[in-house]
Amino acid sequence: MARTLILMRHGKSAYPDGVDDHQRPLAPRGRREAGLAGGWLRDTQPPIDAVRCSTATRTRETLTATGITAPVVFESGIYEAAPETLIELVRLSDDDVATLLVIGHAPGMPWTAWELAGNRDGTAAVELSRKFPTSALAVLRFERAWADVDTGTGELTHFHIPR
């Protein structure tokens, strides 16, 4: 079964005084762009079967704004995760999950997308290499089980910046 992995960076966050980084909420622009991202996902991608989301406030609010209602697991390890950690998280996905959405942070999301992509010369890869702004989405396809996902084994099919 083909698998689809969608890596999403959280929406634009606010910077209220006295609020630590993990608790920062989304800014109005972040809610709007995350909503646009959710619409794009519903219009262009297979239905999402499962979500793994950082426990940070801005990632939780991003998920809510997308309108995605798939079962979600909040993972504290996504916050400040290196690509190796995120790839291991993907490998642990259930076999019956065909499409997985992971919502996290920079630099983890862009670095992981780059590491997993076996095709780094296409249009999507060029765009991804320039910048991975807030609410951006990298879509990778795999012709293997989640447990066998590794560096360079995915095809980066889309890189979308909802604006």
Side-chain angles (χ1 to χ4, degrees), residues 58-133:
R58 61 192 177 275
T59 54
R60 289 171 168 264
E61 291 181 356
T62 296
L63 175 58
T64 299
T66 66
I68 302 297
T69 59
V72 61
V73 174
F74 294 100
E75 303 271 354
S76 60
I78 294 174
Y79 186 76
E80 297 185 347
E84 299 79 26
T85 301
L86 294 168
I87 292 169
E88 185 58 31
L89 176 78
V90 169
R91 287 184 187 133
L92 296 173
S93 296
D94 292 337
D95 287 337
D96 61 342
V97 171
T99 303
L100 174 66
L101 170 64
V102 179
I103 303 175
H105 311 266
M109 292 296 106
W111 288 356
T112 302
W114 189 255
E115 285 296 312
L116 290 173
N119 58 324
R120 295 182 181 168
D121 55 353
T123 303
V126 170
E127 291 173 14
L128 184 148
S129 71
R130 289 185 184 136
K131 188 175 182 183
F132 201 110

Side-chain angles (χ1 to χ4, degrees), residues 12-31:
K12 178 72 175 165
S13 59
Y15 292 88
D17 289 337
V19 176
D20 76 341
D21 186 68
H22 196 269
Q23 302 304 320
R24 283 191 294 123
L26 286 182
R29 180 180 128 196
R31 281 190 293 281

